[in-house]
Amino acid sequence: MKFMILVKATKDSETGVLPSEEMLAAMGKYNEELVKAGVMLAGEGLHPSSKGARVRFSGNSRTVIDGPFAETKELLAGFWLWQVRSKEEAIEWVKRMPNPMLEESEVEIRQVFATEDFAPSDPTGELRAAEERLRAQVEGKK
């Protein structure tokens, strides 16, 4: 099963403070362990929300809101996508992670929906099959 590992932003990450060379080295070593174990599928750091935008939907209307966004504790600074056997395994990997920030920080673990989770909304399987074809197409581009 797949899990998204979400690194919460801090005041430092929102002001654009970059990780130290030591932190980058520690995180690189940790990422190597994830890759060797076949856990890591993807992972990236995110620029501060001041360089981002949100799009708010209301019916057919779309409103673009430029960053920065106020609630730092609700923002993200980075993510990983992992393939693991269980939430407990994901938790164990997160516990081994170097602190991703130069200060107190928090990481959130969320399970990613699999195509089969949508069976009740797609009883014929036609929409799920189309989704699988798209995923195969994306995988073929790697």
Side-chain angles (χ1 to χ4, degrees):
M1 56 185 59
K2 290 180 184 172
F3 282 86
M4 182 70 78
I5 311 304
L6 305 163
V7 178
K8 298 292 186 113
T10 63
K11 287 183 180 181
D12 279 352
S13 68
E14 276 299 295
T15 56
V17 174
L18 294 174
S20 66
E21 183 178 350
E22 181 180 82
M23 181 185 292
L24 282 176
M27 203 54 83
K29 183 177 177 191
Y30 177 71
N31 285 338
E32 283 180 26
E33 291 177 33
L34 291 169
V35 170
K36 284 180 186 173
V39 169
M40 186 170 160
L41 301 175
E44 302 289 347
L46 302 174
H47 280 275
S49 67
S50 60
K51 295 184 176 182
R54 292 178 175 166
V55 179
R56 181 169 289 145
F57 294 78
S58 179
N60 292 328
S61 175
R62 310 288 186 263
T63 305
V64 177
I65 305 157
D66 288 324
F69 306 112
E71 292 294 325
T72 300
K73 66 182 182 182
E74 301 300 326
L75 300 173
L76 298 175
F79 70 91
W80 281 273
L81 182 62
W82 292 350
Q83 179 75 49
V84 291
R85 290 180 296 276
S86 65
K87 182 173 81 177
E88 290 71 26
E89 183 182 359
I91 291 169
E92 288 306 313
W93 276 106
V94 169
K95 286 179 170 180
R96 295 169 52 186
M97 168 189 306
N99 184 348
M101 297 293 175
L102 298 170
E103 57 194 292
E104 188 171 309
S105 67
E106 187 172 279
V107 172
E108 185 173 324
I109 302 167
R110 302 275 302 271
Q111 187 172 354
V112 175
F113 277 110
T115 305
E116 59 268 15
D117 293 330
F118 295 102
S121 300
D122 178 30
T124 65
E126 190 175 316
L127 297 172
R128 288 176 283 143
E131 179 68 22
E132 287 298 327
R133 285 191 297 276
L134 286 174
R135 289 174 188 257
Q137 188 176 355
V138 169
E139 286 295 319
K141 289 183 177 181
K142 289 183 179 178

